[in-house]
Amino acid sequence: MPVRATAKKPTTSNRNGLITDEEEEDEEVPGTQFEAHESDSSSNFYNVIRILKESNSKYQVEWDGIDPKTGKPWKPSWIPKEDCTNVLIREWKTEKQKRKQEKKMKKKRKDGRGEL
């Protein structure tokens, strides 16, 4: 089962609230602006399985759980980067680096065999 992290609730969502792990929130990740505020309650946070894509100011996230209306997983949505926790962003950056390395190795093998 993948490690789950949290993100702030999108303003148009009606998902069930889940409690965050405060220990994970304190870890620093360069480049993130997430800050928990006193006004943030557990009902403002939802489990995210992972970040799928990135734009300049947002991440597309895969939500944990099932939409009770459809019986299917929640559809991915774009949320502001500052609404993602440090843990979630660190996992995303690790995944991006891994993909980059795999792509580099694949190109190296392809070039080494003389293929175009």
Side-chain angles (χ1 to χ4, degrees):
M1 189 167 200
V3 175
R4 308 246 189 244
T6 56
K8 278 191 176 181
K9 171 179 136 180
T11 55
T12 59
S13 174
N14 63 354
R15 295 176 180 83
N16 294 326
L18 298 170
I19 299 172
T20 63
D21 183 350
E22 291 182 28
E23 252 182 61
E24 292 177 346
E25 297 303 320
D26 294 336
E27 297 178 28
E28 287 296 320
V29 175
T32 182
Q33 298 175 16
F34 178 82
E35 253 183 68
H37 299 281
E38 286 182 28
S39 62
D40 289 339
S41 70
S42 62
S43 64
N44 291 334
F45 291 85
Y46 298 86
N47 276 355
V48 170
I49 295 172
R50 64 190 173 124
I51 295 174
L52 301 170
K53 296 178 184 176
E54 179 178 2
S55 73
N56 288 335
S57 62
K58 295 183 178 186
Y59 290 119
Q60 184 182 43
V61 297
E62 178 181 0
W63 297 103
D64 186 24
I66 302 295
D67 181 343
K69 290 181 182 178
T70 64
K72 297 180 180 180
W74 291 103
K75 291 183 180 181
S77 60
W78 290 91
I79 61 173
K81 286 184 174 183
E82 63 268 13
D83 287 354
C84 293
T85 62
N86 294 337
V87 172
L88 188 60
I89 293 169
R90 184 177 47 256
E91 288 173 1
W92 168 244
K93 289 181 178 183
T94 300
E95 179 63 26
K96 274 192 350 183
Q97 185 64 31
K98 182 180 170 186
R99 288 181 192 173
K100 186 177 179 180
Q101 289 291 78
E102 288 172 356
K103 188 175 180 179
K104 188 176 180 180
M105 292 302 293
K106 187 176 179 180
K107 183 178 179 352
K108 202 177 219 183
R109 280 181 280 192
K110 187 176 179 181
D111 290 345
R113 292 187 294 199
E115 296 177 8
L116 297 176

